[in-house]
Amino acid sequence: MSRDLAVCIVSYRRADLLDRALASVDKWLPEARVHVWDNGSSGSPAVRELAATRPDVTWTFSEFNLGYIAAMNQLMAQVPDCDVLQLNPDAELLGPCTRAREALAESGVAVVSPTVLDPEGRDLPWDVAHREQGVVRNLLNSAGYAKRLRGHRASDLYASAPQRVDGYLTGCALFIARDAWDVLGEFDEQFFVYGEDATWQPNARRHGWELRLVDDPVAGPQVRHSSGGTVADDPLASMRGSDLLRSAQVMVLGLEHNAGRGSLYAAGSTLLDRVQRSKRGPRRARLDALAAQAGGRPAVVVITNGLRPGGAERQRVVLANELVERGHPVTLVCLQHLGQYISELDPRVRMLMQPWWQPVVDVAATEEAIVVGGCTRTEIGFATAWRALGRLTGQKRFWIPAAHDPAELDRPTYSEAQARALRTADGLLVLSRQHHEDLSRHQRLTERVMVAPNGLTPGTPLGEVPATGPVRFCMLTRLKTYKNTTLLIRALDSLGRDDWTLDVFGDGPDRVEMEAETPAHLADRVRWRGVSPGPDHAFAETDVLCVPSGFEAFPLVMVEAMTRGMPVMASASGSVPEMLDHGAAGVVVEPVTVEAWAQALAGVLDDRAELARLGRAGRERALALYTDSAMVDAYQHAFVTVLGRAFPGMEQPAATV
């Protein structure tokens, strides 16, 4: 069924290329609606200038880089009744794509691509069509042999232009049928950029839809596209793009339970980097150059299971960014998945995806290197193997795990195997002295323990709590039962007062149950706000942050509030009492009961001057102890301690617990 057509473009960096793409749409598809999502990059100011000249286009400016896939999902939701041309900003229409649109209108067709002209002549017009992905085919691509073997079953490229495609069509100019989109759903947002076409389209074929490539024998290719145009002028951005493409291929092939075809591809591509003649020289030159730039600082590998939103994951990115800014060569390794925090990662940080049992990761050719990460089984497995492998090859390698886990107070926090491995670490970083005491209550860990509290870039100060009107409490959390949202609501309800409101920002598996348990008479004062795009969005409408959970290690949301001068009330758990200076910089509630919380809330409602003082004291404490700079200072002190020597910019060892 033919529908109206919308053109959706995700913009990134290059306003000049976007302007050219829009001009080509004006020329060849003047009747189409055009929607542009700008993904928050260094080029956004220029894109805003362009937007001022194009009121006919629907513009969305994101506060941060969602990644291509999430942004395109957002655009598709803006045009729910249209078929869509998903157009890259560095692509240019050369014609009206009449045959492609005719094919899209046929029953059972999900995706259509016209043939594409590569102005540099590297690709044939039908090379946007790919056969089904596999380990061998993807490795041949990585090695640069896919075109030499074109048409052979080992290559994913076709010998001649196919009409029906059995793999996927790359998406520089992709027509998508709304009927198929409505049936199959949106792109998988576990990918940041790349990979969505190689998963969504094969899924469409499995459900009986067709993928078509359309050539125009008279007019020729209807699109011109030079690969990597938006990052062609930036070697660091280009390298990040290559890293993300490799990661997407690992995930497309599958990394179930840290194994699967994706792990075979990861191993093969790692091997190619080391044995293929065309790659060995550039790789060695890059590592030697990084070592020279390090100037005596150790190389650092930061490991994480993934980069989806979470406190520990955010800290990994902050750590990597600050260390590379201070001169360390840094590689960040994701062991299981990617996530939106990729957008915050400094382009100078090398980003890789590697299963935990493949601890072969490039580091600068320095004498010493350090791996830091969490205490999950996968992170421990990777770190211990990476350290051992390096020592076998002559590089001095050290492992410093950083514990971010809430401590179990009535039993060991870690399994015996984890604890046994942690006792072999060169040092252990904990969030506070109390955190270490809690973690080691039921099991022995390594003897060298150092404190490195988490930290964040300070937020902009907010105004103090108003002297009149309801006090606006808030929670900003994942909605799970142990977070004690219901306990807080019951405590507020028990006061029998109407001088408060509670806004709950977040989502999670227990939200429906929590809402159902909220008394009906509180419907106008307890408001379930859904996911917030960030702390500033939530805090702009609230006065006091509440953290009622009794199972926390170091709630970063408290630091977000404290640096902004927002008063914090929190249950006594983990590092919380220390963070709030045992009540001098916030309200510490103990025990974690409805009654104790009700008493604390009543005190806050009755003494707003004290509440304002606590907000000021909390900000002062956070700026002194819990900034990103202070956190990385602590990590560097730990490096000095385990290395047994100073290095430029860091002369003193860390204080041990």
Side-chain angles (χ1 to χ4, degrees):
M1 181 181 71
S2 180
R3 297 174 181 258
D4 290 341
L5 182 69
V7 178
C8 293
I9 303 174
V10 177
S11 168
Y12 185 70
R13 296 186 73 245
R14 296 286 299 275
D16 56 333
L17 297 180
L18 175 61
D19 189 23
R20 187 186 68 183
L22 291 173
S24 73
V25 174
D26 291 342
K27 179 177 180 179
W28 297 109
L29 299 174
E31 77 286 358
R33 297 165 52 184
V34 181
H35 289 242
V36 175
W37 180 289
D38 182 77
N39 236 347
S41 70
S42 59
S44 291
V47 175
R48 286 186 181 274
E49 292 180 10
L50 175 61
T53 70
R54 297 297 305 263
D56 54 311
V57 174
T58 300
W59 298 86
T60 303
F61 286 89
S62 178
E63 295 181 12
F64 51 89
N65 185 2
L66 294 179
Y68 173 85
I69 290 131
M72 187 56 76
N73 283 341
Q74 294 283 343
L75 286 177
M76 292 293 290
Q78 292 180 9
V79 289
D81 299 320
C82 296
D83 291 331
V84 171
L85 168 58
Q86 297 183 350
L87 186 67
N88 277 14
D90 54 359
E92 181 183 7
L93 297 182
L94 301 177
C97 301
T98 303
R99 293 197 65 208
R101 296 184 64 183
E102 290 173 349
L104 192 70
E106 294 180 24
S107 176
V109 175
V111 175
V112 179
S113 174
T115 51
V116 176
L117 176 66
D118 176 6
E120 298 176 3
R122 295 173 300 183
D123 298 324
L124 295 177
W126 62 86
D127 281 352
V128 293
H130 298 267
R131 297 164 68 186
E132 185 177 359
Q133 290 203 58
V135 174
V136 173
R137 286 175 176 170
N138 287 18
L139 286 174
L140 282 175
N141 265 333
S142 297
Y145 295 137
K147 292 176 183 177
R148 298 186 195 180
L149 298 174
R150 176 189 304 279
H152 189 279
R153 64 180 300 175
S155 173
D156 75 333
L157 296 178
Y158 290 90
S160 58
Q163 290 187 341
R164 289 169 175 79
V165 176
D166 60 14
Y168 67 99
L169 294 150
T170 51
C172 68
L174 208 61
F175 288 87
I176 293 187
R178 173 58 59 174
D179 290 347
W181 184 268
D182 290 343
V183 169
L184 299 169
E186 61 185 16
F187 292 143
D188 185 348
E189 292 183 10
Q190 73 165 316
F191 301 96
F192 186 77
V193 64
Y194 306 120
E196 85 292 346
D197 42 15
T199 52
W200 193 91
Q201 293 180 46
N203 185 47
R205 288 192 68 249
R206 286 192 293 271
H207 285 80
W209 297 85
E210 290 186 0
L211 316 177
R212 295 275 190 88
L213 178 73
V214 174
D215 191 20
D216 191 320
V218 177
Q222 300 285 282
V223 178
R224 178 162 48 214
H225 177 247
S226 181
S227 179
T230 58
V231 296
D233 61 339
D234 188 337
L236 289 175
S238 181
M239 176 172 283
R240 175 61 51 77
S242 297
D243 289 343
L244 288 171
L245 177 59
R246 177 187 179 277
S247 298
Q249 290 175 322
V250 171
M251 293 192 299
V252 165
L253 291 172
L255 201 58
E256 299 85 2
H257 307 294
N258 302 295
R261 294 191 304 160
S263 67
L264 297 178
Y265 170 74
S269 61
T270 300
L271 181 63
L272 280 174
D273 285 342
R274 286 154 177 77
V275 302
Q276 192 173 3
R277 181 179 300 177
S278 61
K279 296 182 179 182
R280 286 200 310 262
R283 170 179 168 269
R284 174 51 55 185
R286 180 177 61 81
L287 297 180
D288 288 342
L290 286 173
Q293 294 169 18
R297 300 173 184 85
V300 181
V301 175
V302 179
I303 53 175
T304 178
N305 283 322
L307 293 175
R308 294 170 184 163
E313 292 78 4
R314 181 78 173 275
Q315 295 312 108
R316 300 288 189 270
V317 172
V318 171
L319 175 64
N321 288 351
E322 189 67 20
L323 286 175
V324 81
E325 180 65 25
R326 297 184 185 194
H328 294 271
V330 182
T331 301
L332 184 140
V333 182
C334 294
L335 304 179
Q336 295 181 331
H337 53 79
L338 303 182
Q340 76 178 53
Y341 285 154
I342 288 171
S343 65
E344 301 180 20
L345 193 63
D346 191 301
R348 292 172 293 179
V349 176
R350 188 74 192 272
M351 195 285 301
L352 297 175
M353 187 165 191
Q354 203 83 336
W356 72 267
W357 52 273
Q358 294 180 23
V360 184
V361 173
D362 277 344
V363 293
T366 55
E367 182 180 351
E368 299 157 320
I370 297 170
V371 60
V372 297
C375 298
T376 64
R377 291 178 176 84
T378 49
E379 290 168 295
I380 289 172
F382 180 95
T384 53
W386 181 84
R387 179 181 59 174
L389 185 63
R391 291 179 176 179
L392 286 175
T393 58
Q395 187 179 49
K396 297 177 184 177
R397 292 185 178 179
F398 303 86
W399 169 40
I400 310 177
H404 288 84
D405 312 282
E408 300 281 359
L409 300 184
D410 58 348
R411 60 184 183 277
T413 301
Y414 303 113
S415 71
E416 179 52 35
Q418 287 172 288
R420 187 165 52 249
L422 290 171
R423 287 195 286 271
T424 72
D426 299 292
L428 175 68
L429 287 168
V430 293
L431 297 167
S432 66
R433 294 178 183 274
Q434 183 63 50
H435 187 222
H436 173 246
E437 183 178 322
D438 293 343
L439 286 174
S440 57
R441 182 173 285 116
H442 299 285
Q443 56 192 169
R444 185 173 66 85
L445 304 176
T446 185
E447 299 301 323
R448 180 184 281 165
V449 180
M450 297 156 285
V451 174
N454 286 337
L456 294 171
T457 302
T460 303
L462 303 169
E464 293 187 351
V465 179
T468 60
V471 173
R472 302 171 299 173
F473 297 103
C474 84
M475 286 186 66
L476 181 58
T477 185
R478 181 156 171 77
L479 296 181
K480 300 191 74 172
T481 300
Y482 80 89
K483 295 291 187 178
N484 284 344
T485 307
T486 302
L487 180 148
L488 177 62
I489 294 170
R490 289 168 57 200
L492 285 165
D493 188 27
S494 72
L495 298 176
R497 302 171 62 151
D498 61 1
D499 55 347
W500 60 269
T501 61
L502 173 63
D503 288 287
V504 182
F505 294 92
D507 206 346
D510 300 327
R511 174 176 175 172
V512 173
E513 180 181 347
M514 291 176 181
E515 289 193 52
E517 292 177 358
T518 303
H521 65 271
L522 297 182
D524 61 335
R525 282 190 285 156
V526 177
R527 298 173 294 222
W528 302 86
R529 305 291 298 273
V531 176
S532 172
D536 286 320
H537 169 266
F539 295 162
E541 304 178 42
T542 53
D543 301 317
V544 181
L545 174 71
C546 295
V547 184
S549 170
F551 186 66
E552 298 288 347
F554 191 100
L556 272 174
V557 68
M558 287 175 51
V559 179
E560 298 274 21
M562 292 166 70
T563 66
R564 291 165 171 80
M566 174 176 282
V568 174
M569 303 179 67
S571 295
S573 172
S575 305
V576 167
E578 189 172 321
M579 294 172 72
L580 296 179
D581 198 12
H582 302 281
V587 178
V588 180
V589 183
E590 190 175 15
V592 188
T593 63
V594 170
E595 293 74 21
W597 265 93
Q599 183 178 352
L601 290 162
V604 162
L605 291 169
D606 290 337
D607 193 348
R608 300 197 185 193
E610 173 64 7
L611 196 59
R613 186 198 69 77
L614 290 174
R616 294 191 297 271
R619 175 171 165 78
E620 182 178 342
R621 185 168 179 81
L623 293 181
L625 301 175
Y626 305 134
T627 63
D628 47 5
S629 181
M631 178 189 74
V632 180
D633 283 346
Y635 272 81
Q636 285 191 302
H637 283 305
F639 297 169
V640 170
T641 297
V642 300
L643 293 176
R645 69 169 182 85
F647 52 81
M650 190 55 54
E651 311 301 332
Q652 299 297 323
T656 56
V657 174

